[in-house]
């Protein structure tokens, strides 16, 4: 009578581990792209919220600015998006993830981009109407203010 062995051999175990490693290497770039796209989506939502707050500040016009001059602004730097009133006082701010960049139209200055709004919440900076949110490995998000 021959005894049957139970369990797996070392070769079978090594093949299974090698197959799992290959699957993990194939899936890793997809996971990285998913994370980048989630960061882009989150940053775009926060950027649009900042723009909405700047428009609300411009319409509210707490400093009673009259005419076609700046009542609120939205400033984009490499690390943050800031909403400021007509006196340049910050009223709201968000931090940008280090892997994400927010850029406005090419007509804006690099490094310190600004959108200014009058007391009717109309853009005073006509060349800064388009935005792009990008991250390495993700799909860029673009839009119009």
């Amino acid at each position: 009578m021959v005894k049957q062995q139970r369990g797996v051999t070392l070769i079978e175990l090594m093949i299974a581990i090698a197959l799992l490693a290959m699957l993990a290497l194939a899936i890793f770039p997809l996971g990285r792209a998913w994370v980048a796209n989630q960061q882009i989506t989150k940053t775009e939502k926060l950027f649009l919220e900042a723009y909405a707050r700047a428009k609300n500040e411009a319409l509210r016009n707490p400093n009673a600015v009259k005419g076609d001059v700046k009542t609120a602004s939205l400033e984009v730097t490499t690390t943050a998006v800031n909403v400021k009133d007509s006196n340049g006082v910050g009223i709201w701010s968000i931090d940008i993830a280090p892997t994400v960049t927010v850029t406005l139209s090419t007509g804006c200055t690099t490094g310190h981009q600004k959108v200014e709004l009058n007391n009717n919440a109309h853009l005073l900076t006509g060349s800064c109407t388009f935005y792009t949110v990008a991250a390495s490995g993700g799909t860029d998000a673009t839009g119009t203010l």
Side-chain angles (χ1 to χ4, degrees), residues 22-39 136-139:
M22 283 192 280
L23 282 172
L25 288 174
I27 292 174
F28 183 70
L30 296 174
R32 191 172 33 182
W34 181 79
V35 169
N37 287 333
Q38 291 301 316
Q39 288 178 333
S136 177
T139 305

Side-chain angles (χ1 to χ4, degrees), residues 40-118:
I40 289 170
T41 301
K42 177 183 174 188
T43 303
E44 182 182 25
K45 285 179 183 178
L46 289 172
F47 174 74
L48 292 174
E49 182 179 348
Y51 179 63
R53 287 182 183 254
K55 285 176 67 174
N56 287 339
E57 178 69 15
L59 289 172
R60 204 169 58 106
N61 195 6
N63 296 327
V65 176
K66 294 183 181 176
D68 206 20
V69 294
K70 176 183 81 165
T71 57
S73 65
L74 175 73
E75 296 180 3
V76 179
T77 64
T78 55
T79 59
V81 176
N82 303 305
V83 177
K84 297 184 177 182
D85 67 6
S86 60
N87 295 328
V89 177
I91 56 173
W92 197 72
S93 177
I94 61 163
D95 292 330
I96 299 174
T99 57
V100 178
T101 58
V102 177
T103 53
L104 296 174
S105 303
T106 55
C108 298
T109 57
T110 307
H112 190 70
Q113 304 170 68
K114 184 190 260 187
V115 173
E116 294 180 340
L117 302 163
N118 67 9

